[in-house]
Amino acid sequence: MKSFDSNSYGPVVAAILGDERLCAVGRGEPNRTMRPRLASLAAEQLFAAPVVDAEMASAALAGLWLWHDFLDESHAISQSIDTPTGSYWHGIMHRREGDFGNARYWFRRVGRHPAFAPLAAAANAEARALAEAPPELLAEFDGGDWDPFRFVDLCERCERSDDEAAQRLLRSVARREWEMLFDYCYNAAQGNRE
């Protein structure tokens, strides 16, 4: 499993991603300093190479808005992408806003996504690395396939909990989910599908 390196996506994306941080499991607080930069970008400007799949380029842009906790802006983009990947970003956005039923609806539309296999391995690695989390939560990531519905359930439970170790684990897994999906979108936009 390769590690995520924002510099491998070119200078525009590297500058947008900036800091190392955990993703919010909930709404998060929008990074208002990034709004002008994100708002001025067309999806094609994220890439040094020609874009061959405009929907995947737009999906990558939806992900960048979500990275900086702009749920409404990400939503506006992802809901216009009628593909499993658009539905995936859409589902993450609804999960983050706490609309868990709607998130499940969008994850049903995703079906089986190519990002699931690497994500299952990454989530398992994150769980092993954060062993201070409750054992029953660690068991949720112990091998097997990625189950977006199970992750929605875990996020919903976490929202009602003050267990900092559990929240840290879910935020870490959410970051890996974001990385895997963004990587898939970025490469697919340039015609590089695994």
Side-chain angles (χ1 to χ4, degrees):
M1 169 176 42
K2 69 178 185 174
S3 63
F4 187 83
D5 177 11
S6 62
N7 292 313
S8 67
Y9 302 100
V12 173
V13 172
I16 292 169
L17 292 178
D19 62 346
E20 286 285 322
R21 65 191 200 90
L22 292 178
C23 290
V25 174
R27 284 190 160 280
E29 183 62 37
N31 180 355
R32 304 230 181 266
T33 62
M34 288 303 296
R35 179 186 283 285
R37 179 178 284 172
L38 288 166
S40 70
L41 279 176
E44 296 77 23
Q45 293 174 300
L46 300 175
F47 304 89
V51 169
V52 299
D53 188 331
E55 285 185 323
M56 286 295 124
S58 292
L61 183 58
L64 291 172
W65 279 103
L66 199 58
W67 176 260
H68 287 285
D69 299 329
F70 290 102
L71 274 60
D72 291 340
E73 291 80 354
S74 179
H75 184 243
I77 297 168
S78 65
Q79 74 179 352
S80 70
I81 304 169
D82 191 20
T83 67
T85 301
S87 295
Y88 200 152
W89 285 117
H90 202 159
I92 292 173
M93 189 286 308
H94 283 299
R95 185 184 71 214
R96 295 237 352 239
E97 75 175 351
D99 187 352
F100 301 109
N102 209 357
R104 288 180 191 96
Y105 168 82
W106 287 100
F107 284 122
R108 278 191 295 278
R109 293 189 56 163
V110 171
R112 185 107 187 105
H113 197 277
F116 284 1
L119 178 54
N124 189 6
E126 292 298 323
R128 285 194 316 263
L130 296 171
E132 75 274 7
E136 65 277 2
L137 182 58
L138 294 174
E140 295 284 351
F141 300 104
D142 193 17
D145 293 332
W146 177 252
D147 183 345
F149 303 102
R150 182 174 63 213
F151 195 60
V152 168
D153 294 342
L154 293 172
C155 291
E156 186 172 11
R157 274 189 272 156
C158 186
E159 182 180 64
R160 298 186 301 260
S161 166
D162 59 355
D163 184 335
E164 290 181 24
Q167 291 174 3
R168 193 168 30 262
L169 174 57
L170 294 181
R171 290 181 71 197
S172 182
V173 170
R175 178 190 169 102
R176 296 298 284 158
E177 178 185 41
W178 186 94
E179 291 172 352
M180 299 290 168
L181 187 56
F182 181 81
D183 184 71
Y184 175 80
C185 294
Y186 191 88
N187 284 302
Q190 296 177 92
N192 304 324
R193 295 188 190 215
E194 296 178 5

